[in-house]
Amino acid sequence: AQKVTQAQTEISVVEKEDVTLDCVYETRDTTYYLFWYKQPPSGELVFLIRRNSFDEQNEISGRYSWNFQKSTSSFNFTITASQVVDSAVYFCALDWYSGGGADGLTFGKGTHLIIQP
Amino acid sequence: NAGVTQTPKFQVLKTGQSMTLQCAQDMNHEYMSWYRQDPGMGLRLIHYSVGAGITDQGEVPNGYNVSRSTTEDFPLRLLSAAPSQTSVYFCASSSPGNTIYFGEGSWLTVV
C-alpha cells in the first residue's frame, strides 16, 4: 500500500522568509513518481513538479526547489523569499504505475501555507 | 483546447436525489479519474479508468457509479445522495508518462 504523509498541517511565515514543506512517502515499488500540486484559494489544482524514482537530482525552478532523498523517502519543497501569492494549500502525491496516474494518485492531506505581508 | 471540463461547478441536492457530474477532456487521454476532497483529508480516489470500457474502484467508491463509453467522457453518478457526499469533486486525465491534468472542481452540497 502507498502512503504520503505531510506532517505540517499549517505553516505561517512572514513574507520574504524561506519555507520548507515536508513530504514523506511509503511504497514497496521500485519505480514510482512523486508530484507537488498547489491549490490556491480559488480552488483549482496547479501542477508544480513530477519526479521519478530514478532521478534524485534536486530541482530548482525560480524561487521553488525540491529535494528528493530516496534514503529517507522524502520529497521536500522549499520556497525561497516567499511572497503573499504563495499562500495556498500544497499537496504532495505519489503514483507507482507510469507517472501518468493510470490508477490514480495517492495524496497527502496537504499543508496550508500562509504568507503574511 | 479546453483541457478537462467539469460540469456543474456548483450543485445543491436533497438527500436521496440522484445526479451526474460530467467530465470531458479533449486531449485524447487514456486515463481518467475522479477524486473527492474533504477538509483535512486531501484528495481521495473514487473511481478510475484506463481506457474506454474499462473502469475500476478507488479508495472511496461506495455510493458512486461510473462508466466510460468514450475516450473523452467519464461521468460520475451519485445514485442516492447522502449528506456524507458533500464535498468538492475533481476529475483528472492523463496519458502514460505525462502530466496529469485536473478539472476546476465541482462543489456539491447534499442537504
Side-chain angles (χ1 to χ4, degrees):
Chain A
Q2 301 180 108
K3 185 177 180 181
V4 176
T5 301
Q6 295 180 256
Q8 304 150 309
T9 304
E10 183 174 289
I11 300 174
S12 181
V13 301
V14 176
E15 198 173 21
K16 297 184 182 177
E17 287 186 9
D18 299 347
V19 58
T20 296
L21 309 182
D22 298 332
C23 173
V24 174
Y25 62 92
E26 297 175 26
T27 180
R28 295 181 180 177
D29 302 298
T30 55
T31 301
Y32 52 89
Y33 295 79
L34 296 162
F35 300 77
W36 276 94
Y37 284 88
K38 173 182 179 180
Q39 187 175 43
S42 51
E44 74 273 22
L45 286 163
V46 179
F47 168 80
L48 296 178
I49 190 172
R50 183 184 70 162
R51 174 57 52 86
N52 74 54
S53 54
F54 295 106
D55 184 0
E56 289 195 69
Q57 286 188 345
N58 292 335
E59 179 149 344
I60 299 174
S61 176
R63 296 184 297 107
Y64 295 171
S65 62
W66 290 268
N67 183 357
F68 176 33
Q69 292 193 340
K70 282 180 79 170
S71 61
T72 56
S73 297
S74 64
F75 187 43
N76 296 337
F77 172 34
T78 298
I79 301 175
T80 303
S82 60
Q83 300 176 1
V84 172
V85 293
D86 295 327
S87 296
V89 179
Y90 290 85
F91 291 100
C92 182
L94 172 68
D95 176 36
W96 71 271
Y97 188 65
S98 68
D103 62 344
L105 298 174
T106 299
F107 281 84
K109 293 184 178 182
T111 296
H112 185 198
L113 178 62
I114 301 168
I115 310 297
Q116 301 184 25
Chain B
N1 188 346
V4 180
T5 303
Q6 290 182 231
T7 55
K9 192 170 180 68
F10 300 98
Q11 183 72 49
V12 179
L13 281 180
K14 293 183 178 179
T15 297
Q17 285 185 321
S18 62
M19 77 156 297
T20 299
L21 296 175
Q22 302 290 346
C23 177
Q25 52 93 6
D26 60 0
M27 298 172 281
N28 203 32
H29 286 167
E30 296 94 321
Y31 306 153
M32 296 186 75
S33 49
W34 276 103
Y35 297 83
R36 60 177 289 173
Q37 183 180 17
D38 302 299
M41 296 295 293
L43 279 78
R44 293 181 292 169
L45 183 67
I46 305 172
H47 285 285
Y48 64 95
S49 169
V50 297
I54 306 169
T55 64
D56 207 343
Q57 297 181 352
E59 180 185 355
V60 288
N62 292 341
Y64 306 95
N65 201 355
V66 292
S67 60
R68 184 100 180 267
S69 56
T70 66
T71 299
E72 294 78 20
D73 300 298
F74 191 43
L76 179 71
R77 298 181 185 84
L78 281 70
L79 308 173
S80 178
S84 61
Q85 294 178 302
T86 293
S87 189
V88 183
Y89 292 84
F90 286 94
C91 179
S93 78
S94 62
S95 58
N98 289 308
T99 301
I100 301 168
Y101 294 87
F102 283 86
E104 293 185 340
S106 295
W107 275 252
L108 176 65
T109 301
V110 183
V111 298

